[in-house]
Amino acid sequence: MRALNFYSSNYHSQLVCRRKICTIRLGDKTNKYSEGDIVWVTVGKRFSQKKRIFTAAIDRVLVKPISQLTLDDLQGENPDLTSIDELLVFLQSIYDKTLISSDIVTVVYFSEIIE
């Protein structure tokens, strides 16, 4: 089974509370995630232990420039985000690189599977 992993510990509480309903990943990730895929939603740093939070279904996968992200996309990623500029700062801190609004991202919406 594939994992939708989140490196930052900031995501842990949002995932546990189910406030986070999508992830915005830099680049086109359609070769990695498809609608209908079942994934483990996990938290943990690269090359270290991960903690599974829940199992999820991928509901929607969208590829678009950062400038075309909607408020739903922003707040699905982080409920505290209200603008593209805030998202750029946020993503730059995650990816440790300068991003511009024309950069392509993949928005992956997911929902928990209750077992």
Side-chain angles (χ1 to χ4, degrees):
M1 180 169 307
R2 285 212 146 145
L4 189 57
N5 188 57
F6 297 90
Y7 296 148
S8 175
S9 60
N10 298 341
Y11 292 123
H12 185 266
S13 64
Q14 290 179 355
L15 290 165
V16 169
C17 295
R18 309 307 194 258
R19 291 181 59 207
K20 183 170 180 61
I21 60 167
C22 79
T23 183
I24 299 173
R25 304 284 168 112
L26 188 58
D28 182 343
K29 303 297 182 195
T30 53
N31 62 336
K32 190 170 184 179
Y33 300 109
S34 300
E35 292 178 14
D37 284 354
I38 306 300
V39 295
W40 287 336
V41 175
T42 62
V43 176
K45 294 190 188 303
R46 202 168 188 200
F47 307 116
S48 66
Q49 270 189 336
K50 314 286 189 278
K51 179 178 181 181
R52 183 171 47 159
I53 307 298
F54 56 86
T55 304
I58 294 181
D59 299 315
R60 190 170 31 180
V61 179
L62 308 167
V63 177
K64 53 181 145 179
I66 292 172
S67 62
Q68 291 182 12
L69 293 170
T70 66
L71 186 58
D72 286 342
D73 297 335
L74 298 177
Q75 293 187 333
E77 167 67 34
N78 181 336
D80 299 325
L81 293 175
T82 59
S83 72
I84 297 292
D85 290 336
E86 288 177 357
L87 176 72
L88 281 169
V89 170
F90 180 73
L91 290 177
Q92 288 173 155
S93 72
I94 301 258
Y95 289 103
D96 196 28
K97 65 187 278 187
T98 302
L99 302 173
I100 57 175
S101 62
S102 61
D103 284 331
I104 299 296
V105 294
T106 302
V107 185
V108 180
Y109 279 87
F110 55 89
S111 57
E112 180 180 13
I113 296 173
I114 306 296
E115 299 180 30

